[in-house]
Amino acid sequence: MSELFDAVDALVASRSPLPPAEERKRLRTAHGLTLDEVAAALKVRRATVSGWESVKKTIEPRGPEREAYARLLNKLAELYPAPAAPPEPAPDAPTGRSAPSQQPPATAPATTPVSDTPAGPVSETPQTGSAVVEHTEPRPTRTARPSPPSAPRRPDVRKAPADTPAGATGSRFENGPLAVVDVDADGQVLAYCTGGLVLDVPAKSIPALVEWTLREARLGQPKLSGPGKDADPLLVLTEAALERYGLPAALTDSERRAGRLPEGHKAVKQLARAEWKLTKRGFGPWARIYRPAKGSERACVQLCVPSWHALDSRHWGDVAQLPPAELARVLGVYASRVMTPRGSTAVTGLELMTALHPPTRASEPDADGRRHAEHNPGSLGKDPVDCAPCEAPDGHPLLKDLPRFHVRGPQEKLFEEAYDWARPMTDAECTLRHLVGIDVNMAFAAGANGLIVGLGAPTHVRKPVFDPKLPGSWLVDLSHVDLSRVKTGKDTWADLDADLLPSPFTPRGERPQGPAWYATPTVAYAVELGYEVRPIEAYVRQENGRYLDGWYQRLRDAYLATMADLGVHTDMTPEDFLTAMDGYRDRDPELATVVSAIKATVKGGLGKLRERPRGEGWRPGEPWRALSRPTWRPDIRAAVISRTRINLHRKIVKHAAHTGQYPVAILSDCVVYASNGPSPLDFLPYREGKPLPGGFKLGINPGLVKHEGTQSVLWGEEVRERFDAPELNLARYIKDGTVTDADNGE
């Protein structure tokens, strides 16, 4: 009998009318269902469900899918009845306002549209009628309502801010920070946004695409700080989209060298005729298309072209080959946790500093009630400042009077760089079985945390008294610092084997031979080790602050959140942490790519602080483009690297004083020790799960360490013998043990 009833139900469902497309969409979103979830349940494609809900061209379901879809809609209609229509307004009701009696009854809950984009502070603006595959119906006023017991709560529901202007419907950025523009098999141009949303793109040309993005797409990202600016929308163009809009799938050799399309290209001319402008870098892999701002309103769209090598494979892996929806997911996660990409990871890292500390802010109203742009305290300002001569890289205009081919020594040049040091193994170490590498997580980000850096121009001082809280560059002789006896606590000293330790004052680990220029953290460490310092001269910065704190926190949070998504958490025991880190990239390769991009943002952003000339006919002694930025600050880069190297040396000294173990090799933030076991736990001095205070600690937080790799001692000796290099830096190869003849022992 039940089979007969089922057959009758199916027969009725196959002929029953379905609600309009707008109502189908309303019911789905009211229950917090995505298109992907409905498609999976009904065993159809996502695009099929999207077509069932499309107002522009509704596609009616057929066969068994129609029966199942009708049953789903009927169930949802029972849970979420349509809101009651308000009665006609009273004749004396003011225009544009509703009388109290016109509110929907309490039993008819208002619909809350669901957004798949990351939650965040947003601002409102009216929409002008985008052709949208998913967001097509008029958006009702957003009101709070309790969810039914059976309705899952969505953590990413967007709520309109309290200051939404009257008449505004929906968030300015409700569709996320970016979209991947592609062309489907039917020739339809689609924009794949974060969270699975797909927009129908009506634009037939690049200028029309820019107009559509600004007027209808609702893409962008809220500003990261009060005085800052909202992030411009980002469009990522696939090869199919490039073909549709008359752009080449790849740049020619000459275009690649120039980094842009020629001025005579059709698309460039189209933009010019439509009165759109391009920045100085032109129409290249990261093109910015804009019109001059009018007041506080910006009109700017950024394009990213992966097939023009916009996404460097060293940092982004193979994401350029991902399908549009997956590419939107990867870039969307990065954008929501770091910021909307503004170019390479290095460019984005530098732009993040400015976004968190804009150079200007609005002043208090003057006598006429007008506000003006004024310096934003804690920022680098809007004008560049000259560096000190010792901080200038070779070829800088400050050094144009030096003799040709002059090589500056330590007394003329600040040389704060990361470690690249190694030593021969001792006889005792050769009797051990393994070489184990440990790597400091986000080492340079941790070095930036809490660091006081200069904000203004340097002041030259003769015979200054050293102040560890004053950022700057100091000419001082540290050759008297003896690592065989160092201070490891307030009143404690340790006797060490200085021959087995690198000097903390030089990147190659050799002991200084006389006066040299150092950043403040390096000189402060000499004092910490128990030795007196007497600077000869210095360039100090009286105006200073913790400029990089917000930058560090943003990148730290992005890194930890993404690693947590990959199953690695901050509260793990050392054993569980090592297990979780084993193969974490295979759990979600796309998210693992985001981790790599975040790390590259740290290193690249710091590297941009001392960006060198990039062709353009530059000659030594002439200024180059980067010098015109207020963020060209080699002193800040030097201070971060100095502090990072000192942090690592401090841990090495603590470890040696407690265990008698010394590193065999150090490369940047990787340290290699000889050990009897293959795991870091075989030589790190944990007691009852607690690490050595001030030493190395396993964990995912920036500044803590993870397992980099393990090789045998025999492997290390064989590699050094092959290259006839007893001090070959094994830390460079410890991860997988691969050493090629191309390395040539360097």
Side-chain angles (χ1 to χ4, degrees):
M1 185 64 70
S2 62
E3 294 180 358
L4 293 177
F5 287 165
D6 291 341
V8 171
D9 290 343
L11 186 63
V12 172
S14 67
R15 299 293 187 272
S16 61
L18 298 177
E22 297 94 331
E23 179 65 7
R24 302 173 193 176
K25 168 73 182 306
R26 185 191 73 80
L27 293 171
R28 177 179 61 78
T29 57
H31 199 61
L33 298 175
T34 66
L35 291 172
D36 289 320
E37 290 172 332
V38 174
L42 301 182
K43 294 181 171 57
V44 297
R45 295 188 303 116
R46 183 186 188 281
T48 301
V49 181
S50 178
W52 294 345
E53 296 181 358
S54 173
V55 175
K56 186 176 180 181
K57 186 178 180 181
T58 305
I59 301 174
E60 292 298 326
R62 298 178 181 178
E65 291 83 7
R66 180 186 177 91
E67 301 168 14
Y69 190 45
R71 183 179 182 86
L72 170 66
L73 295 177
N74 289 336
K75 293 291 185 181
L76 294 178
E78 295 175 4
L79 293 173
Y80 311 101
E88 292 295 323
D92 58 347
T95 302
R97 299 180 63 87
S98 299
S101 61
Q102 294 173 319
Q103 299 297 327
T107 56
T111 302
T112 303
V114 176
S115 169
D116 291 317
T117 53
V122 293
S123 54
E124 302 287 331
T125 189
Q127 184 170 352
T128 56
S130 169
V132 180
V133 173
E134 188 166 13
H135 288 288
T136 51
E137 74 281 11
R139 292 170 174 79
T141 303
R142 297 169 180 240
T143 56
R145 63 167 177 82
S147 298
S150 59
R153 296 188 64 84
R154 296 287 301 274
D156 54 350
V157 173
R158 289 281 183 94
K159 294 183 179 180
D163 59 347
T164 303
T169 55
S171 162
R172 286 179 57 200
F173 308 132
E174 70 174 78
N175 294 336
L178 55 88
V180 179
V181 181
D182 190 36
V183 181
D184 65 11
D186 298 328
Q188 179 64 47
V189 182
L190 301 175
Y192 293 81
C193 306
T194 57
L197 175 68
V198 181
L199 305 180
D200 181 14
V201 182
K204 304 299 183 183
S205 65
I206 289 294
L209 180 63
V210 174
E211 294 278 4
W212 171 83
T213 303
L214 293 173
R215 293 186 178 183
E216 302 180 32
R218 293 196 174 193
L219 296 173
Q221 192 174 36
K223 57 188 177 183
L224 297 179
S225 66
K229 299 176 182 178
D230 296 331
D232 299 317
L234 172 65
L235 296 181
V236 183
L237 304 182
T238 66
E239 291 190 29
L242 293 174
E243 181 180 358
R244 169 61 61 92
Y245 290 115
L247 298 170
L251 297 178
T252 64
D253 290 342
S254 60
E255 291 169 348
R256 190 178 66 255
R257 287 192 296 269
R260 67 187 71 189
L261 293 177
E263 295 296 326
H265 192 276
K266 178 182 177 181
V268 178
K269 290 182 176 180
Q270 287 177 340
L271 290 170
R273 285 196 297 268
E275 298 183 347
W276 288 103
K277 297 181 180 295
L278 290 162
T279 57
K280 290 183 179 180
R281 58 183 172 184
F283 203 130
W286 291 94
R288 297 188 67 78
I289 305 171
Y290 72 99
R291 284 184 180 137
K294 297 180 180 179
S296 61
E297 294 185 6
R298 289 170 57 83
C300 182
V301 173
Q302 178 155 312
L303 303 183
C304 168
V305 187
S307 65
W308 296 359
H309 304 291
L311 301 173
D312 193 329
S313 60
R314 293 173 299 174
H315 314 313
W316 289 104
D318 297 328
V319 298
Q321 282 74 49
L322 290 176
E326 296 177 27
L327 178 57
R329 178 205 176 209
V330 173
L331 296 178
V333 171
Y334 179 89
S336 65
R337 293 177 178 176
V338 180
M339 69 179 298
T340 303
R342 298 288 301 273
S344 66
T345 51
V347 170
T348 304
L350 193 69
E351 291 287 343
L352 180 61
M353 297 180 194
T354 303
L356 293 168
H357 288 285
T360 60
R361 67 177 183 182
S363 67
E364 294 296 325
D366 59 16
D368 297 328
R370 296 182 178 179
R371 296 179 183 270
H372 307 276
E374 65 177 13
H375 174 70
N376 183 28
S379 74
L380 298 181
K382 63 179 182 179
D383 299 317
V385 297
D386 285 334
C387 62
C390 62
E391 298 163 351
D394 294 338
H396 191 278
L398 288 174
L399 311 175
K400 63 182 179 180
D401 294 330
L402 288 178
R404 191 179 182 186
F405 304 121
H406 175 74
V407 178
R408 294 186 293 162
Q411 298 188 47
E412 299 173 280
K413 181 180 179 180
L414 176 69
F415 192 64
E416 294 283 9
E417 298 295 341
Y419 266 131
D420 186 354
W421 170 88
R423 63 170 176 82
M425 285 186 279
T426 64
D427 292 342
E429 289 168 339
C430 289
T431 64
L432 303 178
R433 298 179 60 189
H434 301 282
L435 293 172
V436 183
I438 53 177
D439 181 78
V440 181
N441 296 314
M442 300 274 283
F444 294 100
N449 182 30
L451 178 65
I452 300 175
V453 300
L455 302 178
T459 301
H460 188 213
V461 185
R462 295 282 184 182
K463 295 185 178 179
V465 176
F466 177 69
D467 183 353
K469 296 182 180 179
L470 190 60
S473 300
W474 310 78
L475 180 61
V476 59
D477 188 353
L478 299 181
S479 60
H480 63 289
V481 178
D482 185 4
L483 294 182
S484 62
R485 182 165 178 78
V486 297
K487 197 173 184 180
T488 57
K490 185 176 181 180
D491 298 312
T492 58
W493 290 74
D495 294 322
L496 304 174
D497 189 339
D499 294 334
L500 302 181
L501 283 173
S503 168
F505 309 126
T506 60
R508 303 291 295 186
E510 68 271 13
R511 187 168 179 169
Q513 300 301 310
W517 285 99
Y518 303 101
T520 297
T522 302
V523 185
Y525 186 56
V527 176
E528 179 184 327
L529 292 176
Y531 292 87
E532 182 182 10
V533 296
R534 294 180 179 178
I536 301 169
E537 60 178 304
Y539 288 90
V540 297
R541 289 170 170 82
Q542 302 294 341
E543 183 187 357
N544 53 68
R546 294 168 62 159
Y547 173 73
L548 295 174
D549 274 11
W551 183 80
Y552 159 76
Q553 291 161 10
R554 179 85 177 170
L555 291 166
R556 174 204 62 194
D557 292 347
Y559 175 69
L560 293 181
T562 311
M563 289 302 297
D565 290 341
L566 291 167
V568 185
H569 304 277
T570 58
D571 56 354
M572 288 180 159
T573 64
E575 295 80 7
D576 291 343
F577 168 71
L578 292 174
T579 301
M581 286 295 294
D582 187 17
Y584 77 92
R585 291 183 171 275
D586 298 332
R587 294 173 201 144
D588 191 331
E590 294 174 9
L591 278 184
T593 299
V594 176
V595 173
S596 298
I598 293 171
K599 292 179 179 179
T601 304
V602 174
K603 292 185 177 181
L606 293 172
K608 278 282 183 180
L609 291 170
R610 200 191 67 162
E611 183 177 359
R612 302 302 304 275
R614 304 179 67 181
E616 301 177 349
W618 174 81
R619 293 182 179 180
E622 297 178 350
W624 57 92
R625 183 183 300 180
L627 300 186
S628 63
R629 295 192 322 246
T631 50
W632 192 84
R633 293 295 301 272
D635 57 299
I636 296 180
R637 172 187 177 274
V640 174
I641 294 177
S642 164
R643 192 165 188 244
T644 303
R645 192 182 67 245
I646 294 306
N647 285 346
L648 183 60
H649 195 274
R650 185 182 292 112
K651 289 180 171 61
I652 291 171
V653 166
K654 291 278 187 180
H655 185 85
H658 185 80
T659 66
Q661 298 170 336
Y662 295 85
V664 172
I666 309 173
L667 182 67
S668 187
D669 47 11
C670 176
V671 188
V672 176
Y673 283 91
S675 170
N676 262 325
S679 168
L681 288 175
D682 291 317
F683 70 91
L684 293 182
Y686 272 83
R687 291 184 179 179
E688 299 179 355
K690 295 182 179 181
L692 171 69
F696 295 108
K697 178 182 179 180
L698 289 166
I700 197 58
N701 278 302
L704 305 188
V705 300
K706 62 180 181 293
H707 184 204
E708 178 70 4
T710 297
Q711 304 297 328
S712 69
V713 169
L714 290 178
W715 164 87
E717 288 299 286
E718 187 275 331
V719 168
R720 286 179 165 177
E721 183 178 348
R722 188 205 315 173
F723 290 114
D724 192 22
E727 297 182 1
L728 177 70
N729 196 332
L730 300 175
R732 182 173 281 108
Y733 318 105
I734 194 69
K735 189 168 188 175
D736 58 12
T738 302
V739 186
T740 65
D741 291 336
D743 292 308
N744 198 27
E746 296 183 359

